[in-house]
Amino acid sequence: MKLLLVVTGSATAAHVPYWINWIAMHRPGHRVRVLVTEGARRFVTPASLASAVVDEVLVDAWDAVDDRPVHVEYAAWADGVIVYPASQNYLADLASDRVDRPSLLTIALSTAPVVVAPGLPPGGLASPGLVRSWTTLEERGSATVLSPVPGVSKHDPTLTSWAPGDFTAAVALVEPDPERVGRTVLQTDLLRTEIDDADSGGWTWTRTPGTAAPAPFTAHSSPEFAAVRRWMPDGLLLGSAVEDSRVYTAPAPRSVAGALIDDGPSAVAPAVLEAVGASLRELHSTPTPENIIRGSTRGVDRLVNWLDGRGLAPTARVARERLNVLPGDVAAGLRTVVSALLDAPSVLCHGAPTLGSVVLAGERPLLLTGEDVAVAPADTDLLWVVGELVEYGLTFDGADSGWTAHVDAFLAGYGGSGRTSVADLAAVRIALHLHDYIVYVGWSTTEFDRYHRMIRYLLENGDSR
């Protein structure tokens, strides 16, 4: 692969020689050309970027390349472009279509995938200028912006700066997808799911807490899990504990969420959602041992802690502050709904019946169960399915009747809509999705604002769907 690396004037440019060495060790077949901006030369010298895999290092200025048409040459040559780190000034130049240096004009001319990894000073992630630049790049679709990670300011250790994201992730984003016959991997910092074609027939689903998951799965030795295993409602599939993971043997490799996202509501019969509702009703009707502590679920706990501002990581804190800045008092509305939702009798709950954990096997779906089992109000389960279906409808088709029919089928299978309205259930689930996306996938102003609009619409309009 031929990789163009643009190094700009952020302090983390000093780390780029390490990453070029990583390419030499782990991608020895790659060829690299490097453009170094004048600002970056404060932190790294062109000579320090020399390597066996680097064909050329140039200063990113027209007078430095002797009017050589490197923009034409590099645009035709590169299979992928990585800007690492990308200073706030460089992001603004990209977003405003400036082409006054070789790298900017190369990116404008290139058809190769482009990944931009911002490195920002304290306060940079929330600055209006950065928000505008990031949003413009995302909406244009001309570059993938790799979310930065919190670091410590070199000038004031009490302040949070923002280092560029993992360089290996940037490389993976511009590389061609490897052949992965018979295997699917879905991964965030909250959850990793591997789906493999089992030699003995069927499919093995392995689910593991992500690297930043705030809590482990519910233990197999817990009284909650023992209660589910004892009564084993129809339609649930329990996994085996293998170290920190859960391993399930399922008859199919596709989830209901995958089918709906890829192919729309017609890809899944309403009877499937009705069966999921019936399984949850049976689970909620099972006896709950007296020694089990009543409370909440891992997902709802994440949302409540975020809304209350408790123990927040830097990215979650910036997101919480943005929630206050945007129009509509969404945080207060959500907190009122969640408080009412939790003020209800507790039952034995799945804990996180996302449609991504429902294996699509004809009209007899199987719900992977055991990772989040808890004793909590029933609506803490219902909000997952209802919220995801409403979110799909608002995202893909507005208020399309196909999605409404799926919500109705699920609630019919469950035997009613519970104590909380459909709109409020959906608002809570979408708010949790917003939190989990920003914290465990990466910052995106565009996605943040899109989710915020949906939540505000649901809280202000109720069940007028």
Side-chain angles (χ1 to χ4, degrees):
M1 179 179 184
K2 293 170 290 187
L3 177 64
L4 175 60
L5 177 60
V6 181
V7 184
T8 80
S10 172
T12 46
H15 303 154
V16 172
Y18 171 87
W19 291 117
I20 288 179
N21 186 55
W22 178 89
I23 294 175
M25 293 179 62
H26 298 279
R27 301 289 192 277
H30 285 16
R31 304 312 306 168
V32 182
R33 296 182 183 180
V34 185
L35 287 170
V36 184
T37 68
E38 291 286 2
R41 295 177 70 184
R42 293 180 295 152
F43 308 105
V44 65
T45 65
S48 69
L49 300 172
S51 166
V53 296
V54 175
D55 294 333
E56 187 172 46
V57 179
L58 297 175
V59 174
D60 189 22
W62 292 117
D63 56 358
V65 298
D66 297 324
D67 292 327
R68 172 182 160 192
V70 292
H71 55 291
V72 177
E73 180 185 340
Y74 280 13
W77 174 84
D79 297 320
V81 181
I82 297 176
V83 184
Y84 193 102
S87 67
Q88 192 159 344
N89 184 65
Y90 196 90
L91 281 168
D93 286 347
L94 269 181
S96 61
D97 292 323
R98 290 188 66 176
V99 290
D100 59 354
R101 66 186 78 170
S103 66
L104 291 169
L105 188 50
T106 299
I107 291 172
L109 297 175
S110 177
T111 58
V114 178
V115 173
V116 181
L120 307 170
L125 189 62
S127 69
L130 184 280
V131 169
R132 284 194 299 272
S133 299
W134 192 321
T135 301
T136 298
L137 291 174
E138 285 189 328
E139 291 177 346
R140 187 185 298 162
S142 56
T144 298
V145 183
L146 186 66
S147 184
V149 296
V152 177
S153 170
K154 62 181 294 187
H155 301 294
D156 185 346
T158 65
L159 298 177
T160 298
S161 61
W162 297 92
D166 185 2
F167 184 82
T168 64
V171 173
L173 286 168
V174 298
E175 288 178 327
D177 290 334
E179 293 291 332
R180 302 184 65 88
V181 178
R183 189 178 194 219
T184 301
V185 178
L186 308 170
Q187 182 168 342
T188 71
D189 287 347
L190 180 64
L191 178 69
R192 175 184 174 89
T193 301
E194 297 181 33
I195 307 169
D196 292 283
D197 190 352
D199 294 336
S200 57
W203 296 80
T204 300
W205 291 58
T206 304
R207 290 161 63 89
T208 308
T211 56
F217 290 154
T218 301
H220 264 210
S221 59
S222 70
E224 294 93 340
F225 189 88
V228 176
R229 183 167 49 201
R230 176 184 179 187
W231 299 103
M232 201 51 198
D234 186 45
L236 305 188
L237 181 62
L238 294 183
S240 302
V242 179
E243 297 181 346
D244 295 335
S245 303
R246 294 290 186 273
V247 180
Y248 308 83
T249 300
R254 200 179 194 196
S255 70
V256 168
L260 291 173
I261 292 171
D262 290 344
D263 302 317
S266 62
V268 178
V272 171
L273 280 306
E274 186 175 353
V276 174
S279 294
L280 288 176
R281 168 58 76 183
E282 187 176 351
L283 174 63
H284 294 171
S285 300
T286 58
T288 304
E290 292 299 324
N291 63 331
I292 294 181
I293 298 174
R294 273 69 174 164
S296 184
T297 63
R298 292 196 314 157
V300 173
D301 284 345
R302 290 196 303 275
L303 179 61
V304 169
N305 289 338
W306 183 52
L307 293 174
D308 290 350
R310 293 198 302 260
L312 300 184
T315 307
R317 186 169 62 250
V318 172
R320 183 64 183 83
E321 291 168 356
R322 183 163 182 78
L323 204 61
N324 290 337
V325 170
L326 294 177
D329 197 353
V330 164
L334 286 169
R335 200 63 186 87
T336 298
V337 172
V338 172
S339 296
L341 185 149
L342 292 175
D343 186 23
S346 295
V347 297
L348 189 60
C349 282
H350 179 282
T354 170
L355 294 174
S357 64
V358 180
V359 179
L360 186 59
E363 292 191 1
R364 297 289 296 172
L366 291 172
L367 179 56
L368 307 183
T369 304
E371 301 156 21
D372 291 87
V373 175
V375 174
D379 282 352
T380 60
D381 270 355
L382 300 188
L383 68 89
W384 289 83
V385 179
V386 169
E388 288 172 17
L389 291 171
V390 171
E391 180 182 332
Y392 296 159
L394 292 174
T395 298
F396 301 120
D397 297 304
D400 179 79
S401 59
W403 301 102
T404 302
H406 280 26
V407 173
D408 292 341
F410 168 73
L411 294 176
Y414 186 75
S417 59
R419 294 162 48 104
T420 310
S421 71
V422 166
D424 284 348
L425 289 173
V428 173
R429 173 64 186 113
I430 295 170
L432 177 57
H433 195 178
L434 165 59
H435 168 272
D436 290 351
Y437 186 95
I438 293 299
V439 175
Y440 303 115
V441 176
W443 182 271
S444 168
T445 303
T446 302
E447 287 300 284
F448 192 107
D449 293 354
R450 184 175 70 85
Y451 283 123
H452 177 269
R453 287 193 296 271
M454 284 193 279
I455 297 164
R456 185 182 179 193
Y457 169 81
L458 290 164
L459 290 175
E460 292 180 354
N461 291 279
D463 276 348
S464 57
R465 55 190 175 101

